[in-house]
Amino acid sequence: MTATTGGAVYADPVDLDKHGVYGATALKVENGGWNRPRYPFQGRITADGSSGYKAEPGRYHLYVSHRCPWAHRTAIVRILKGLQDVVSLSYVDDERDGRGWAFREKRGADPVNGFRFLREAYEATEPGYEGHVSVPVLWDRETGRIVSNNFFDITIDLGTQFEAYGDPDVHLYPEELRGDIDELNEYIYVNFNDGNYRVAGAASDEAYADLRGRVISALERLDERLSTRRFLFGDSVTESDVRFWVTLARFDLTYNPFAKISERRLVDFPHLWPYARDLYTLPAFRDTTDFSAFTHLGPPFLDPAVTRIDVEPHRADWDEPQDRHRLAA
């Protein structure tokens, strides 16, 4: 059924009884714990167009979700790099049933294609597509297809290939630091970004203890790193800060209470908490964040046989003052 409001086209309401929970089958514990779905569309944007997708204003659109941290990254980088008038953006609805992400009145209609469901973008790109439907999606108006849904690459391309149109003074992935940024990004991804999901997918008490220990160790290590520097690589925000922050912002409200990871909340870390609030003062972070969307992690795939600690959601005061600027050189 199609709902219309003032000419806009929307999907019908979420109906879990009729359509089920999205991803519930793919994420069953008996499949061996957490296994991240494939992201099959991995096109790249290049400044010169050698990849087949040239960086140019007005050509590309981002489909994102307030709920998804991987999508949140792209919204942040788009503003940090000053690409608001170069790459357009719209949001899918916060809620989804077995049909996947959809466009509803709360977050607005699809302004590019008039799709009701994001799956339509996937099917337009690959007819008969049966894989995972995820955000972010980078859409190409010119070819009428998805360039990429591979979140690892999208922010790199936004931050490096639109130099002719974005803020030339913002360098989120500077050449001289790329090796170090890649190494830290991998550590953050394995032990924190994806590490939280791995704790949720633990299929035994032993695995749960090991996996949550890795997340806690990562938080402690990065807390120490930030004791002497304002951001992860010094005085400037980089790709690593964006990747780290979107998960930090969701830790106390989503990941920790759902997966039952740590008795320590984000607010209990002496350097991580001021660091997170420092970034939140920047419009790119603040204006793309809706804490009301951080309500749950996803399908109910926790193994009931695993004994977990008790953790409750915590909504902190993100406007609490901090003095991180004192660490700047």
Side-chain angles (χ1 to χ4, degrees), residues 48-70:
D48 62 4
S50 59
S51 64
Y53 297 103
K54 184 177 182 179
E56 47 192 334
R59 178 171 175 176
Y60 302 102
H61 182 80
L62 282 166
Y63 290 115
V64 299
S65 164
H66 275 295
R67 176 156 287 170
C68 175
W70 320 108

Side-chain angles (χ1 to χ4, degrees), residues 69-294:
W70 320 108
H72 194 177
R73 299 174 177 186
T74 64
I76 291 171
V77 169
R78 173 177 172 265
I79 295 178
L80 285 174
K81 192 59 185 172
L83 299 176
Q84 296 96 311
D85 296 327
V86 178
V87 178
S88 57
L89 176 146
S90 63
Y91 286 89
V92 294
D93 190 46
D94 296 346
E95 305 295 337
R96 58 180 173 171
D97 55 27
R99 297 169 295 177
W101 298 114
F103 300 91
R104 298 189 177 89
E105 193 167 2
K106 178 179 180 179
R107 298 298 185 186
D110 171 11
V112 177
N113 296 296
F115 294 147
R116 294 179 304 137
F117 293 92
L118 190 60
R119 177 171 292 279
E120 296 174 63
Y122 283 76
E123 293 173 342
T125 305
E126 182 182 304
Y129 179 80
E130 296 182 351
H132 180 58
V133 175
S134 64
V135 285
V137 162
L138 181 62
W139 177 266
D140 179 19
R141 287 182 171 88
E142 184 174 300
T143 61
R145 60 181 288 118
I146 294 172
V147 178
S148 179
N149 71 334
N150 192 38
F151 58 84
F152 296 101
D153 300 331
I154 295 174
T155 51
I156 296 293
D157 292 351
L158 291 175
T160 61
Q161 300 304 307
F162 288 86
E163 292 300 312
Y165 311 105
D167 188 338
D169 295 325
V170 173
H171 303 287
L172 301 174
Y173 193 52
E175 291 189 19
E176 67 275 13
L177 290 176
R178 287 182 184 178
D180 294 332
I181 288 175
D182 289 344
E183 182 179 359
L184 185 59
N185 285 353
E186 177 66 12
Y187 176 81
I188 291 172
Y189 174 75
V190 170
N191 296 286
F192 188 54
N193 298 141
D194 200 54
N196 292 296
Y197 293 87
R198 299 180 191 195
V199 177
S204 69
D205 287 351
E206 292 76 16
Y208 169 65
D210 174 60
L211 291 166
R212 82 181 189 95
R214 295 185 189 188
V215 173
I216 294 168
S217 292
L219 289 172
E220 291 172 345
R221 173 179 168 180
L222 293 165
D223 186 71
E224 177 61 28
R225 181 185 181 100
L226 289 162
S227 67
T228 57
R229 61 186 89 189
R230 185 175 182 183
F231 305 117
L232 288 171
F233 282 95
D235 296 342
S236 299
V237 175
T238 65
E239 176 78 15
S240 295
D241 294 293
V242 176
R243 295 189 183 204
F244 186 35
W245 190 86
V246 293
T247 304
L248 275 184
R250 290 161 171 79
F251 189 71
D252 283 353
L253 283 171
T254 301
Y255 291 112
N256 201 20
F258 183 88
K260 315 297 184 185
I261 300 166
S262 173
E263 293 90 344
R264 295 179 71 187
R265 305 163 300 179
L266 168 61
V267 298
D268 297 321
F269 286 87
H271 309 295
L272 288 180
W273 175 224
Y275 160 80
R277 301 200 314 278
D278 187 13
L279 286 170
Y280 186 62
T281 64
L282 303 178
F285 292 82
R286 177 183 290 269
D287 295 347
T288 59
T289 300
D290 184 348
F291 289 108
S292 70
F294 303 168

Side-chain angles (χ1 to χ4, degrees), residues 23-35 200-204 300-306 308:
T25 301
L27 300 177
K28 283 184 177 179
V29 171
E30 52 263 38
N31 291 346
W34 170 247
N35 290 291
S204 69
F301 61 102
L302 294 183
D303 188 337
V306 175
R308 298 174 185 264

